[in-house]
């Protein structure tokens, strides 16, 4: 089954095994990458919560904090904690994580009565989407490298066994 032209597709280089994601066929090594057919897969489509939790290490609580800032505009930790009923330290930790991702902007505001407070402002949705997309692509690159290491580690451990016996018998059915 061929996906629609405007759908994001997965590509793989036949030479080096590199992976590409996009709308147009990227080039790698000695030419265009091959499209990977993903119509029949054992992998189910992740929910947004699963994606955010897996890739960005966001808990359900952090997602709540993120959505509240997105809807509430400029907020302090105290204002947000009161609004959503979480402890201030929990809210502060999640807001700092979201600021590291570039999903919210953290600014210091001087208080008229003295001292300062940090305020958190949501980034525009297109900025959030692009930041998360960039982080996701980095995650995919790292995950792909892990899969390559898995294969290499298995082959190397078999080769390092120093015996003529088959090392893969563990994986055979009895």
């Amino acid at each position: 089954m061929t996906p629609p032209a405007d759908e994001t597709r997965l590509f793989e280089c036949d030479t080096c095994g590199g992976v590409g994601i996009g709308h147009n066929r990227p080039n790698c090594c000695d030419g265009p990458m091959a499209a990977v057919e993903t119509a029949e897969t054992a992998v189910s489509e992740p929910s947004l919560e699963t994606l955010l939790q897996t890739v960005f290490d966001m808990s359900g609580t952090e997602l709540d904090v993120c959505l509240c800032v997105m809807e509430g505009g400029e907020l302090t930790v105290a204002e947000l904690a009161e609004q959503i009923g979480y402890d201030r330290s929990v809210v502060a930790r999640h807001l700092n994580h979201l600021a590291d991702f570039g999903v919210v902007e953290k600014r210091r505001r001087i208080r008229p009565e003295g001292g300062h407070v940090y305020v958190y402002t949501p980034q525009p949705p297109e900025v959030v989407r692009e930041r998360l997309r960039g982080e996701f692509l980095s995650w995919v690159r790292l995950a792909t490298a892990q899969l390559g290491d898995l294969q290499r580690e298995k082959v190397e451990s078999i080769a390092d066994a120093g015996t003529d016996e088959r090392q893969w018998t563990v994986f055979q059915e009895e």
Side-chain angles (χ1 to χ4, degrees):
M1 180 173 139
T2 305
D6 62 341
E7 185 177 297
T8 301
R9 302 213 36 217
L10 182 62
F11 301 91
E12 185 173 21
C13 177
D14 292 331
T15 304
C16 71
V19 176
I21 300 173
H23 299 287
N24 300 317
R25 184 181 306 265
N27 287 320
C28 187
C29 295
D30 55 0
M33 297 173 96
V36 176
E37 293 301 324
T38 57
E40 293 183 35
T41 178
V43 178
S44 60
E45 181 179 348
S47 67
L48 179 59
E49 187 173 351
T50 300
L51 177 69
L52 294 173
Q53 184 177 22
T54 303
V55 178
F56 304 107
D57 198 24
M58 271 192 203
S59 65
T61 303
E62 189 164 19
L63 184 56
D64 289 346
V65 169
C66 182
L67 294 174
C68 284
V69 172
M70 294 298 168
E71 293 172 358
E74 184 179 273
L75 295 167
T76 65
V77 171
E79 292 167 339
L80 187 57
E82 186 177 319
Q83 225 177 55
I84 61 177
Y86 290 123
D87 186 71
R88 286 172 61 164
S89 64
V90 170
V91 172
R93 185 178 69 243
H94 290 311
L95 285 170
N96 285 324
H97 189 220
L98 294 168
D100 289 344
F101 277 133
V103 172
V104 298
E105 181 183 0
K106 178 181 179 180
R107 288 182 290 121
R108 192 174 119 177
R109 182 171 63 192
I110 304 298
R111 297 167 60 171
E113 63 273 6
H116 69 272
V117 65
Y118 287 102
V119 293
Y120 297 84
T121 309
Q123 293 286 2
E126 57 277 0
V127 171
V128 172
R129 193 172 19 261
E130 196 52 41
R131 288 284 303 148
L132 292 178
R133 183 178 175 280
E135 292 293 327
F136 171 74
L137 292 174
S138 293
W139 182 85
V140 168
R141 181 182 53 80
L142 295 169
T144 302
Q146 287 284 3
L147 292 174
D149 288 345
L150 173 70
Q151 185 177 7
R152 267 196 301 279
E153 287 172 8
K154 184 175 177 183
V155 170
E156 288 169 1
S157 68
I158 292 171
D160 289 344
T163 177
D164 290 336
E165 293 181 36
R166 294 182 306 201
Q167 299 300 308
W168 52 269
T169 53
V170 180
F171 303 106
Q172 290 181 335
E173 290 185 32
E174 300 270 338

